Amino acid sequence: MLTDQPSTATYTTDWTGKYRGDALAVVRPAAAEEVAQIVTLCAQQGIAIVPQSGNTGICGGSVPIDSRPSIILSLSRMNRVRAIDRDARTATVDAGVVLEALQNAVEEHDLIFPLMFGARGSAMIGGNLSTNAGGSNVVRYGNTRDLCLGIEAVLADGSILNGLTGLRKDNTGYDLKNLLIGAEGTLGIITGAVVKLYPQPKVRATAFLSVASLSAALEILNIVQDRLGNTVEAFEYVPQPVVEVILRHFPQIRAPLSEPANVGILLEVASSRTDDAAEASDGGKALQEGLIMALADLMESGLVLDAMFATSEGQRNDLWKLRESVLESINADGPAYHLDVALPLSRVADFVRIMDEKATELGFRPLTIGHLGDGNLHYALAAADPAKWDGLPLEAMKEFAFDLLAELKGSFSAEHGIGQSKAELLRARKEPSQLAMMRAIKQALDPQNIMNPGKMLV
Amino acid sequence: MLTDQPSTATYTTDWTGKYRGDALAVVRPAAAEEVAQIVTLCAQQGIAIVPQSGNTGICGGSVPIDSRPSIILSLSRMNRVRAIDRDARTATVDAGVVLEALQNAVEEHDLIFPLMFGARGSAMIGGNLSTNAGGSNVVRYGNTRDLCLGIEAVLADGSILNGLTGLRKDNTGYDLKNLLIGAEGTLGIITGAVVKLYPQPKVRATAFLSVASLSAALEILNIVQDRLGNTVEAFEYVPQPVVEVILRHFPQIRAPLSEPANVGILLEVASSRTDDAAEASDGGKALQEGLIMALADLMESGLVLDAMFATSEGQRNDLWKLRESVLESINADGPAYHLDVALPLSRVADFVRIMDEKATELGFRPLTIGHLGDGNLHYALAAADPAKWDGLPLEAMKEFAFDLLAELKGSFSAEHGIGQSKAELLRARKEPSQLAMMRAIKQALDPQNIMNPGKMLV
């Protein structure tokens, strides 16, 4: 237990520096039973509990809100990989295991835990689950929710839910696992999980494409999936305006194509299949040749305008470096508001077209990237003239975006969650029947409202 | 609305004939709004509502219990496929669409809705979702839960939850969709859904294997998955005692192998990948040759003892006929008690060994088949001597099985659900913390207990 100011400071502030809140103490239990004792004690005293694992979220979900006497319950000491079952392809882990540590541990067994995003060196499994984290290979493996077979959690009454099964089928009652996943600690504290593992890819192929339009991109995704057998691991949208911003701030990065790609796609396929890794006629591997041939046909049909195929690990790294420099470049380029939205795949093009038009009209400069294969866009509203940012009608632009999302049946929070930052938005925009259902569940499972209060539901 | 006895009879009795219960009326609304009006009226009058779609379940979940004045709400008139989005690979359907009708509708678009089980000619999507139906290709495509992107439902207060989105990512609050899926109508009535579609396989390969042991089977599954790129669509356990029963009752069916297979596996792979469907050196297709080569290597390593590879559609049909005759054969063979259990994949062999030993000792004759790729066994306890069935210690045997399942972290209801038949079992065997959580949710969302009372929670 930590109570003195310097020791608790890293816990009471989130990593963006935007959210902070005082805590009576930071407690660091070592087992689910200890978590249960802490929750029981807090329930008796009416003290709020803010669970925290890697504290890498960007919605302020893992730090206290000052209106309540709170403790931070850090899961960082619960950091054991409890078991790896190589044959069943599952791992049983504590909630405080760092994502990358799990990935390293299973690699020794020729397996992967596929969840992939920037903060994986400090994000922990408990937080991944509580926020249903996404990332760049959801198109193949799904969100964190899809990677989890069972959980252990401590509920608001101090009871322990022992759901650490590795079952692929289980119809014994309500789906409590998925209710707790993505609940951001407001219904209970996830203390452990059984997760799915996958075979390590034996071969990869990566390319950067200039494609005819966003609608063409969806067609290309389907064609590549069918031709190469659902091997697409990344289908990332990086259009020319974003490439320009990156090149401005990272002059050492080269443009992937000689001509600007209005609709640029970073495409990666990977396979654990033996024959995909076999040597093909051109000396490369079969999957790589398969992708080259698919791209040749797509260029002939006019869907792909230009393509750069990474012929070395160095070239592949350059492409990913481009993708991973996006956020830093946009941040360096001036003020911007970031939307994290999702659309049905066939409405993505409509959303971008209508948004771009409106944003430009109002003096914004849209900088959009996204996990296009999931219909997930990170749409940043920068200023056409950064000096005039303060005068731009940001609220009106946001309302326009949220209205448009509602019309297109999209989501105003695709993968980053709600936390503090979008709690008001949820209250305003979530369908009333669903909001009422959420409130009823919250009230039933945490009547004292001690589990991460002020997050998600306000 | 139907109220006269002959018209309501098919609704008030389940198809097994084991469960029946009176209904004040059978109402057949045509839209979610009508369902909402009916629920509102029933809530005012304190009348229980039993939602019913195809009425093909085997746990008595879709017929009333006589202790309550009830109506049956049939979804059979809500049978429109509302939309098929070929590019996004989704279909939006009414809950009363028959599974096979949906499958036929999407086939025209070169797509499949993969859910596959015997009753698909009469089972409806609403029931598939409410029971989280499984079947024979869960190993590849997951349970119904995994095939659903969004739902529309009517809640106990008569409000409509409009969740018919086709989103692949959406982190705006609690996972209400998965809470309603598998809840057997006790929390709300699913009236529509957006489901995932997949490309049609271009090639299949099917074989019957005699393998060295159940542990070897798991190893074989992993090897085939890795070599052939996650193409396994069925990995069904059909051991020799079951084959013998089938041959006894269906003399026209031939044994797939000349020597008995103590551990027999029906294996099918399928692929929509172009190069898998290309002609291979032996004149067959590449995927088929790939499977033959994999099996040759597995025989050399001793994991596979013998194999029959289906070289024609006729041979494939024979293998599936064998698999699909199991239940009818066991039923014809004498009385038996059927368990529907799931185990973590690496505990399946332990379960079968321990159960077989105990069952034999107590005078039973175990007849086990299963969706082995999911760890899901349909373990039937027949009598060694059918004439002595009545004297066998069935209750003791069942308790032994449920104790063993608890020890091995298995499930006592893998894919058939709870309904009436396992409600007492759930009360006795579900972890108290989970049962309490379920009850709290039920109480919060249906305080009058009008939504399918007496099912699941008693």
Side-chain angles (χ1 to χ4, degrees):
Chain A
M1 182 161 97
L2 311 170
T3 50
D4 58 304
Q5 188 61 25
S7 326
T8 59
T10 55
Y11 298 89
T12 52
T13 308
D14 85 324
W15 80 270
T16 68
K18 195 170 161 193
Y19 299 97
R20 72 167 307 289
D22 283 331
L24 301 170
V26 176
V27 295
R28 305 195 301 161
E33 292 71 22
E34 293 182 17
V35 175
Q37 288 168 13
I38 294 163
V39 171
T40 304
L41 203 60
C42 287
Q44 285 162 2
Q45 304 292 327
I47 294 169
I49 304 159
V50 181
Q52 186 180 98
S53 58
N55 196 16
T56 62
I58 59 174
C59 297
S62 57
V63 295
I65 285 180
D66 279 334
S67 56
R68 284 284 296 269
S70 307
I71 61 158
I72 292 172
L73 190 150
S74 167
L75 293 146
S76 56
R77 281 179 66 221
M78 294 184 62
N79 58 6
R80 276 182 317 133
V81 175
R82 299 190 202 173
I84 295 172
D85 185 334
R86 184 179 175 153
D87 290 334
R89 300 197 163 167
T90 60
T92 306
V93 297
D94 284 349
V97 169
V98 169
L99 173 54
E100 195 170 61
L102 171 60
Q103 290 171 329
N104 292 340
V106 303
E107 203 178 296
E108 291 169 31
H109 300 269
D110 285 325
L111 295 168
I112 60 164
F113 180 65
L115 196 60
M116 191 56 64
F117 53 81
R120 69 181 182 279
S122 35
M124 295 170 188
I125 301 298
N128 301 161
L129 287 163
S130 289
T131 61
N132 186 30
S136 65
N137 61 20
V138 170
V139 64
R140 176 151 187 186
Y141 299 101
N143 293 292
T144 310
R145 183 185 304 288
D146 303 298
L147 299 172
C148 180
L149 292 171
I151 59 167
E152 175 191 81
V154 175
L155 306 177
D157 63 358
S159 64
I160 297 176
L161 183 158
N162 290 299
L164 286 184
T165 69
L167 298 174
R168 310 271 165 170
K169 281 184 180 169
D170 182 22
N171 279 348
T172 57
Y174 301 157
D175 186 352
L176 305 177
K177 176 189 79 178
N178 277 314
L179 187 61
L180 288 163
I181 293 175
E184 302 186 2
T186 63
L187 299 178
I189 300 164
I190 295 173
T191 54
V194 181
V195 296
K196 293 185 200 170
L197 306 176
Y198 290 84
Q200 262 186 347
K202 294 190 182 75
V203 54
R204 285 181 196 284
T206 313
F208 193 89
L209 319 181
S210 172
V211 314
S213 66
L214 272 170
S215 315
L218 177 54
E219 226 177 307
I220 292 165
L221 174 62
N222 286 333
I223 291 171
V224 174
Q225 291 284 35
D226 292 354
R227 281 185 66 143
L228 300 178
N230 206 32
T231 55
V232 175
E233 298 223 330
F235 197 79
E236 300 281 302
Y237 178 49
V238 192
Q240 181 61 18
V242 173
V243 171
E244 281 167 20
V245 171
I246 296 167
L247 298 182
R248 186 150 63 234
H249 296 283
F250 291 92
Q252 72 279 21
I253 293 182
R254 278 167 306 179
L257 295 168
S258 50
E259 294 292 314
N262 284 329
V263 180
I265 302 285
L266 173 57
L267 166 66
E268 186 160 282
V269 295
S271 173
S272 60
R273 207 168 144 163
T274 319
D275 54 0
D276 279 334
E279 197 170 306
S281 55
D282 70 347
K285 290 177 172 172
L287 183 74
Q288 294 162 343
E289 186 165 297
L291 181 59
I292 289 170
M293 285 166 62
L295 293 179
D297 288 347
L298 287 166
M299 287 179 76
E300 196 156 342
S301 71
L303 289 170
V304 170
L305 307 175
D306 195 5
M308 179 274 203
F309 183 88
T311 54
S312 68
E313 194 60 19
Q315 285 186 349
R316 174 180 178 244
N317 289 341
D318 285 349
L319 290 179
W320 278 105
K321 175 82 184 150
L322 181 84
R323 171 64 185 85
E324 285 163 3
S325 305
V326 168
L327 192 59
E328 208 176 329
S329 303
I330 292 178
N331 286 341
D333 211 51
Y337 179 82
H338 294 262
L339 290 159
D340 166 35
V341 305
L343 284 304
L345 293 175
S346 48
R347 307 314 297 270
V348 170
D350 291 338
F351 179 80
V352 171
R353 180 178 46 78
I354 297 169
M355 278 291 288
D356 283 2
E357 197 175 304
K358 185 70 174 182
T360 309
E361 178 195 321
L362 294 183
F364 292 97
R365 180 172 46 117
L367 294 170
T368 311
I369 56 137
H371 309 300
L372 196 58
D374 318 314
N376 177 196
L377 298 174
H378 297 308
Y379 192 109
L381 291 156
D385 177 355
K388 293 188 183 157
W389 169 257
D390 286 336
L392 290 177
L394 182 58
E395 286 311 311
M397 186 67 226
K398 282 161 65 176
E399 290 304 305
F400 179 86
F402 298 135
D403 286 343
L404 181 60
L405 284 166
E407 189 190 324
L408 300 177
K409 297 194 175 174
S411 167
F412 54 80
S413 186
E415 61 173 7
H416 294 160
I418 302 296
Q420 298 180 44
S421 66
K422 291 179 186 160
E424 283 296 341
L425 182 60
L426 186 83
R427 178 157 73 172
R429 291 281 177 174
K430 188 82 176 173
E431 188 190 36
S433 65
Q434 296 188 52
L435 205 51
M437 191 170 167
M438 285 176 63
R439 286 190 200 288
I441 293 167
K442 169 73 174 174
Q443 171 66 27
L445 300 182
D446 179 22
Q448 286 185 273
N449 192 24
I450 58 168
M451 305 305 268
N452 212 6
K455 316 299 164 56
M456 193 170 276
L457 285 172
V458 287
Chain B
M1 182 160 97
L2 311 171
T3 51
D4 58 305
Q5 187 62 25
S7 325
T8 59
T10 55
Y11 298 89
T12 52
T13 307
D14 84 326
W15 79 270
T16 68
K18 197 171 161 192
Y19 299 97
R20 73 165 307 288
D22 283 330
L24 301 171
V26 175
V27 294
R28 306 195 300 162
E33 293 69 25
E34 293 182 17
V35 176
Q37 287 167 14
I38 294 162
V39 171
T40 303
L41 204 60
C42 287
Q44 285 163 1
Q45 304 291 329
I47 294 169
I49 304 158
V50 181
Q52 185 180 100
S53 57
N55 198 15
T56 62
I58 59 175
C59 297
S62 57
V63 295
I65 287 181
D66 279 334
S67 56
R68 283 284 297 268
S70 307
I71 61 158
I72 291 173
L73 190 150
S74 166
L75 293 146
S76 56
R77 282 181 66 222
M78 294 183 63
N79 57 5
R80 276 183 318 134
V81 175
R82 300 190 202 173
I84 295 172
D85 185 334
R86 184 180 177 154
D87 291 334
R89 299 194 165 170
T90 60
T92 306
V93 296
D94 283 351
V97 169
V98 170
L99 173 53
E100 197 170 58
L102 171 60
Q103 290 171 330
N104 292 340
V106 303
E107 204 177 295
E108 291 169 30
H109 300 269
D110 285 326
L111 295 168
I112 59 164
F113 180 64
L115 196 60
M116 192 55 64
F117 53 82
R120 69 180 182 280
S122 36
M124 294 171 189
I125 301 297
N128 300 161
L129 287 163
S130 290
T131 61
N132 186 29
S136 66
N137 61 19
V138 171
V139 65
R140 175 150 186 187
Y141 299 100
N143 293 292
T144 309
R145 184 186 300 291
D146 303 298
L147 300 173
C148 180
L149 291 171
I151 59 167
E152 174 191 82
V154 175
L155 307 178
D157 63 359
S159 64
I160 297 176
L161 185 157
N162 289 299
L164 285 184
T165 69
L167 299 173
R168 310 273 164 166
K169 282 183 177 169
D170 182 22
N171 280 347
T172 57
Y174 301 157
D175 187 352
L176 305 176
K177 176 189 80 178
N178 277 313
L179 186 61
L180 289 163
I181 294 174
E184 301 186 1
T186 63
L187 299 177
I189 300 164
I190 295 173
T191 54
V194 181
V195 297
K196 294 185 200 171
L197 305 176
Y198 291 84
Q200 261 185 348
K202 294 190 182 73
V203 55
R204 289 180 193 284
T206 313
F208 194 89
L209 319 180
S210 172
V211 314
S213 66
L214 272 169
S215 316
L218 178 54
E219 227 176 307
I220 291 165
L221 174 62
N222 285 333
I223 290 169
V224 173
Q225 290 284 35
D226 293 355
R227 278 184 67 145
L228 299 179
N230 206 33
T231 55
V232 175
E233 297 224 330
F235 197 79
E236 299 282 301
Y237 178 49
V238 191
Q240 182 59 20
V242 173
V243 172
E244 283 168 18
V245 171
I246 296 168
L247 299 182
R248 187 149 62 233
H249 297 281
F250 291 91
Q252 72 279 24
I253 293 182
R254 278 167 305 180
L257 296 167
S258 50
E259 295 291 313
N262 284 328
V263 180
I265 303 286
L266 173 56
L267 166 67
E268 185 159 283
V269 296
S271 173
S272 60
R273 207 167 144 163
T274 319
D275 54 359
D276 279 334
E279 197 170 302
S281 53
D282 69 347
K285 289 178 173 174
L287 183 73
Q288 295 163 342
E289 185 164 297
L291 181 58
I292 291 171
M293 285 166 63
L295 293 179
D297 288 348
L298 287 166
M299 287 179 77
E300 194 156 345
S301 71
L303 289 170
V304 170
L305 306 176
D306 196 3
M308 178 274 205
F309 183 88
T311 54
S312 68
E313 195 60 20
Q315 286 187 348
R316 176 182 177 241
N317 288 343
D318 285 349
L319 290 178
W320 278 105
K321 177 82 184 150
L322 181 84
R323 171 64 185 85
E324 284 164 3
S325 306
V326 169
L327 193 58
E328 208 178 329
S329 304
I330 292 177
N331 286 342
D333 211 51
Y337 179 82
H338 294 262
L339 290 158
D340 167 33
V341 305
L343 283 304
L345 293 175
S346 48
R347 308 313 295 272
V348 170
D350 291 339
F351 179 81
V352 171
R353 179 178 46 77
I354 298 169
M355 278 290 288
D356 282 0
E357 197 175 304
K358 185 71 175 182
T360 310
E361 181 194 317
L362 295 184
F364 291 96
R365 178 172 50 115
L367 294 171
T368 312
I369 55 134
H371 310 300
L372 196 59
D374 318 313
N376 176 196
L377 299 174
H378 297 308
Y379 193 108
L381 291 156
D385 177 355
K388 295 188 182 156
W389 169 256
D390 286 337
L392 290 178
L394 182 58
E395 286 311 312
M397 186 67 226
K398 282 161 66 175
E399 291 304 305
F400 180 87
F402 297 136
D403 286 343
L404 182 59
L405 284 166
E407 189 190 325
L408 299 177
K409 298 193 177 175
S411 167
F412 54 81
S413 186
E415 60 174 8
H416 293 160
I418 302 296
Q420 299 180 44
S421 67
K422 292 180 186 160
E424 283 296 341
L425 183 60
L426 185 83
R427 179 157 75 172
R429 291 283 178 173
K430 188 80 177 174
E431 188 191 36
S433 65
Q434 296 187 53
L435 205 52
M437 192 170 166
M438 285 175 62
R439 285 191 200 287
I441 292 167
K442 170 73 174 174
Q443 170 66 27
L445 300 182
D446 179 21
Q448 287 184 273
N449 192 25
I450 58 167
M451 305 305 270
N452 212 4
K455 317 298 164 57
M456 193 171 274
L457 285 172
V458 288

